[in-house]
Amino acid sequence: MLRLFQYVNYLMVLWLIMLSECIAQKTPYLNVKPDRIQRASQLEQEARKKNDPILLAEAWYLFGKTYVFAGDYRTAQVYFLKSLRLQEPQGDSFELSRLYVRLSENEDKMGNAVQALRYATRSLQIAQRIKSDEALIRSYGVLGRIYLTQWQNQSTTHKTAYYNQALSFYSKREALSYKIKDTLGIAEATIELGTLFTKVKDPRAIPYLEKALDLFTLKEKQGSRVNTLMHLSEAYSAFGKPALALQALNKAEQLYERAKLNEYETRLDLEAAFVYYFQGSGQWEKAFERLKKLSELERIKLVADRNGAISRLSLEFEAEKKESLLSAQRKEIKLNTQNLRLQRGITMAVSALFLIAVVVSAVFFRLYRKNQRISRRNEDLVKEQNHRVKNNLQVVSSLLSLQSKRLTDELAKKAIEESRLRVQSMAILHQRLYDGDKLAEASLDEFIQEVVSGVLTAYGFAVLQPQFSIDKISLPADKAVPLGLILNELTTNACKYAFADNESPAFRISCHRNNNRIHLTVADNGPGLSSPGLEEAGWSDERSYEPVSAGWSESEVKTLPISFGMQLIQAQAEQLGGTYSFVSGESKEFTGVLFSMVFKA
């Protein structure tokens, strides 16, 4: 045991000496694949030419991926953050969720667990909002890796909780991959679960990893095959199968060289796997040889992070700063030239315009005062006219009322009373025109209620409370008069035929605007168009009206009477340029007659 301890110390001393010698030598940069850089550069040039921020964000994302494969995580993170500044204002998308996954992976590899978890959580939230299975698979994978890292770094506190979290996210990723039949997603979830089972020596580890290897072989993913073979080697070692472990490692190395992968992270993991195997099997010389290669790779990464990435970022920053400065200077020179050219003309033009403005202002002020006086005078005249018309109509209404009292014939009295109500509806309109703020417009809400209430009171139904549903609509006088006459006739008919022998009469009026059209409906709960009173009034078969859809379960098409009231309704509807219909049947609220009319506002 003592000899083994001394030998390990000897190896560590040699390793430190070689490491110090390597640092003193010239530092090579990490190997970045030129074809990937070229493709990202071409996309960036195209995006700048088209002035397309989305395309530019994608170019920077490709730059970041290229540096990730080379192991230069800091430079990659700079490009990912530049892409994020363009992607985030565009809102939630698969690309934004994917970008947060990359940011999280980088932070996790650089040891920033808190920031890695924050980015991964944002990726998952976006994936859930856009309901993308592919984005969810990526988010579950990165969250599983973060919790696996936390589980490996913890001694006792929360260790079980971190393991359970990693297992949960990997399992969700596997289930979702099977759901959408994503072979690569299944393979990646399987290798993650197999690696996790290896850590706890779960017997499911080797079958999972062998299945992942088969799937990656089927899809010809050489890099993933190499990675799976390394994990499979670790599993074989953990379960006491050293021969299979070495065979898997050798096969992984051969595949790496044959496929010319040249990926830093994969090469680093491969050397670490060999060191782990040779140390575990007691082959110290081979372990030392692999350890030297591993140290060289880690040194390259450290020096590149410190020098290479910083120098590249400095050059980019300086280039952008100079370009911005030159652009600003060119704009400033151009603006100064334009200002000098325009300043002389502006000075003279302003003086001339000032004099013209003073003269024009004086003229317009006088015209404005004159127009104000004319407007006030016209307003007073219109109000006086409406007031006189209202008074005249009231006089006519009173005369008709006196005349009806002298008559003994009931039919004549009813005819006079109906005429009086028609005149009264017009008087109400002119009263509203006189009292309202708008000279030639009436508010339908107040006007309709007052017309209906007047008719109900005249026929002894003052206690009846109609159901009104009327929008705030202002209607010109030339349209309000026909509407008032139609409402007067409909309310009169309801009082005469629907409410006479009805123990619980009900009346509903609705008036709504839809774009530039007004919809009016009037409904009662009387016996409908089969009322004896209507039949006695002389219904004919000359005209019929189709029912309209108003929530009625059944409808009955009746012919309309050729009476003065119906002729009046027809004439006023034509004056409004509208269409109307009568429906008799049953609805949820009424079992009577429904009148519906549509006309332009």
Side-chain angles (χ1 to χ4, degrees):
M1 185 67 182
L2 180 61
R3 289 185 61 190
L4 176 62
F5 180 76
Q6 291 174 344
Y7 188 67
V8 170
N9 283 341
Y10 172 73
L11 289 176
M12 292 300 295
V13 169
L14 285 178
W15 176 71
L16 291 172
I17 292 173
M18 292 184 67
L19 179 63
S20 62
E21 290 176 354
C22 289
I23 293 175
Q25 297 172 0
K26 182 179 179 181
T27 303
Y29 288 107
L30 299 180
N31 194 350
V32 180
K33 288 193 173 182
D35 57 331
R36 290 178 175 171
I37 288 291
Q38 183 179 4
R39 185 158 62 95
S41 299
Q42 290 174 350
L43 191 62
E44 182 183 21
Q45 292 173 3
E46 182 183 352
R48 294 188 183 279
K49 186 181 297 183
K50 295 180 178 179
N51 196 21
D52 187 345
I54 301 300
L55 199 60
L56 184 59
E58 183 66 20
W60 285 339
Y61 174 78
L62 293 179
F63 272 117
K65 278 182 60 179
T66 302
Y67 284 109
V68 165
F69 290 138
D72 191 350
Y73 303 124
R74 298 187 184 279
T75 303
Q77 201 73 339
V78 170
Y79 277 106
F80 287 147
L81 289 172
K82 288 170 67 175
S83 179
L84 181 65
R85 284 196 295 270
L86 297 179
Q87 282 280 5
E88 206 161 29
Q90 307 299 324
D92 292 344
S93 63
F94 171 79
E95 289 74 18
L96 183 60
S97 176
R98 177 191 65 180
L99 188 55
Y100 272 121
V101 168
R102 289 290 185 181
L103 287 165
S104 176
E105 289 174 343
N106 268 14
E107 294 293 346
D108 186 47
K109 289 173 182 176
M110 291 187 291
N112 303 325
V114 175
Q115 186 63 23
L117 183 59
R118 186 178 294 114
Y119 283 141
T121 303
R122 290 181 186 174
S123 170
L124 179 60
Q125 291 170 346
I126 294 170
Q128 290 171 338
R129 286 197 293 268
I130 64 176
K131 299 179 181 179
S132 169
D133 290 337
E134 294 182 4
L136 283 171
I137 288 173
R138 289 172 176 265
S139 301
Y140 288 150
V142 72
L143 282 164
R145 287 190 290 276
I146 290 171
Y147 283 110
L148 176 61
T149 303
Q150 294 285 11
W151 173 69
Q152 290 175 318
N153 294 337
Q154 288 289 330
S155 55
T156 56
T157 309
H158 305 304
K159 194 171 182 68
T160 303
Y162 286 135
Y163 175 81
N164 291 335
Q165 287 277 29
L167 180 60
S168 172
F169 282 116
Y170 284 153
S171 300
K172 288 180 180 179
R173 184 181 191 186
E174 181 188 31
L176 197 56
S177 298
Y178 274 108
K179 173 187 172 184
I180 65 173
K181 299 179 181 179
D182 180 5
T183 304
L184 285 178
I186 295 171
E188 290 170 356
T190 305
I191 188 176
E192 289 165 346
L193 285 168
T195 303
L196 183 63
F197 291 148
T198 301
K199 305 296 182 184
V200 295
K201 294 189 177 181
D202 189 319
R204 293 176 290 177
I206 293 177
Y208 263 83
L209 291 171
E210 288 177 344
K211 180 180 179 180
L213 182 61
D214 292 340
L215 292 174
F216 283 129
T217 303
L218 178 66
K219 288 293 184 177
E220 298 183 353
K221 294 291 182 180
Q222 309 304 342
S224 298
R225 287 179 63 193
V226 171
N227 188 40
T228 307
L229 284 166
M230 287 188 287
H231 287 290
L232 194 56
S233 171
E234 184 182 355
Y236 285 142
S237 298
F239 287 96
K241 299 179 180 180
L244 292 176
L246 181 59
Q247 182 181 349
L249 280 179
N250 288 331
K251 188 174 180 180
E253 187 172 36
Q254 292 169 6
L255 184 60
Y256 180 90
E257 298 296 340
R258 187 168 63 250
K260 298 180 181 180
L261 296 178
N262 198 21
E263 294 179 0
Y264 172 80
E265 191 70 29
T266 305
R267 182 77 250 184
L268 192 70
D269 291 341
L270 189 58
E271 296 299 338
F274 271 110
V275 172
Y276 173 78
Y277 173 78
F278 288 133
Q279 284 180 345
S281 59
Q283 302 180 54
W284 301 106
E285 292 184 3
K286 292 183 179 180
F288 179 70
E289 291 298 325
R290 293 290 180 174
L291 186 62
K292 288 194 296 182
K293 294 180 179 180
L294 180 63
S295 301
E296 175 66 13
L297 289 171
E298 290 179 341
R299 180 190 66 81
I300 291 173
K301 177 187 175 184
L302 291 172
V303 176
D305 283 346
R306 187 189 64 185
N307 297 332
I310 293 176
S311 63
R312 283 193 294 274
L313 290 174
S314 298
L315 288 172
E316 289 180 6
F317 175 75
E318 291 297 329
E320 290 179 1
K321 187 170 70 173
K322 289 179 181 179
E323 184 179 351
S324 299
L325 183 60
L326 289 172
S327 177
Q329 288 176 347
R330 285 194 294 268
K331 289 181 180 178
E332 185 178 359
I333 293 171
K334 185 177 180 180
L335 288 173
N336 288 336
T337 304
Q338 292 176 349
N339 288 337
L340 290 174
R341 189 179 301 165
L342 295 175
Q343 189 173 7
R344 299 170 185 171
I346 290 175
T347 303
M348 298 177 64
V350 166
S351 301
L353 288 174
F354 177 77
L355 293 175
I356 294 172
V358 170
V359 175
V360 172
S361 297
V363 172
F364 274 106
F365 179 76
R366 295 189 64 181
L367 291 174
Y368 170 76
R369 294 291 299 272
K370 184 178 180 180
N371 286 336
Q372 275 193 324
R373 289 194 297 269
I374 295 172
S375 296
R376 283 195 296 267
R377 188 181 307 162
N378 289 338
E379 182 178 347
D380 293 337
L381 289 173
V382 172
K383 283 191 173 183
E384 180 63 24
Q385 179 186 1
N386 287 330
H387 182 58
R388 290 187 180 186
V389 171
K390 185 264 298 184
N391 288 342
N392 291 336
L393 291 172
Q394 289 287 5
V395 170
V396 174
S397 178
S398 299
L399 290 173
L400 290 173
S401 179
L402 290 173
Q403 184 66 35
S404 67
K405 292 178 181 180
R406 292 177 176 271
L407 297 174
T408 57
D409 187 351
E410 289 299 324
L411 291 176
K413 290 181 69 172
K414 287 182 179 180
I416 293 295
E417 180 63 19
E418 289 175 3
S419 297
R420 186 189 71 80
L421 290 173
R422 294 175 185 125
V423 172
Q424 181 180 320
S425 68
M426 291 187 286
I428 290 171
L429 171 62
H430 284 279
Q431 176 66 34
R432 288 294 168 192
L433 294 175
Y434 175 74
D435 293 339
D437 295 330
K438 296 182 179 180
L439 297 177
E441 292 183 357
S443 174
L444 289 190
D445 186 12
E446 300 173 352
F447 173 62
I448 290 175
Q449 293 189 43
E450 193 167 348
V451 169
V452 172
S453 298
V455 177
L456 292 176
T457 302
Y459 278 91
F461 295 98
V463 294
L464 175 61
Q465 297 294 328
Q467 299 178 24
F468 292 102
S469 176
I470 305 171
D471 292 344
K472 296 292 184 183
I473 304 172
S474 293
L475 206 62
D478 60 340
K479 290 184 180 290
V481 170
L483 183 63
L485 290 173
I486 290 172
L487 282 168
N488 181 81
E489 293 301 318
L490 294 172
T491 310
T492 299
N493 287 338
C495 291
K496 290 165 61 178
Y497 305 115
F499 305 153
D501 298 322
N502 197 331
E503 294 180 358
S504 56
F507 200 45
R508 181 183 66 187
I509 299 99
S510 67
C511 187
H512 302 289
R513 179 193 289 271
N514 186 3
N515 295 328
N516 65 334
R517 305 188 75 81
I518 293 178
H519 297 253
L520 172 71
T521 59
V522 180
D524 61 56
N525 67 339
L529 296 179
S530 60
S531 169
L534 288 175
E535 292 178 353
E536 293 172 6
W539 295 83
S540 72
D541 294 327
E542 295 182 12
R543 299 185 61 200
S544 63
Y545 290 81
E546 294 293 332
V548 295
S549 176
W552 294 62
S553 61
E554 61 178 345
S555 62
E556 176 183 359
V557 180
K558 280 290 185 178
T559 56
L560 298 182
I562 306 303
S563 64
F564 177 78
M566 295 309 301
Q567 289 177 352
L568 180 60
I569 290 175
Q570 180 183 353
Q572 300 307 311
E574 289 176 354
Q575 184 175 340
L576 288 170
T579 58
Y580 70 98
S581 63
F582 284 90
V583 176
S584 177
E586 294 183 357
S587 72
K588 297 179 181 179
E589 300 177 10
F590 292 88
T591 57
V593 175
L594 173 70
F595 170 82
S596 178
M597 182 173 68
V598 180
F599 62 97
K600 290 184 179 180

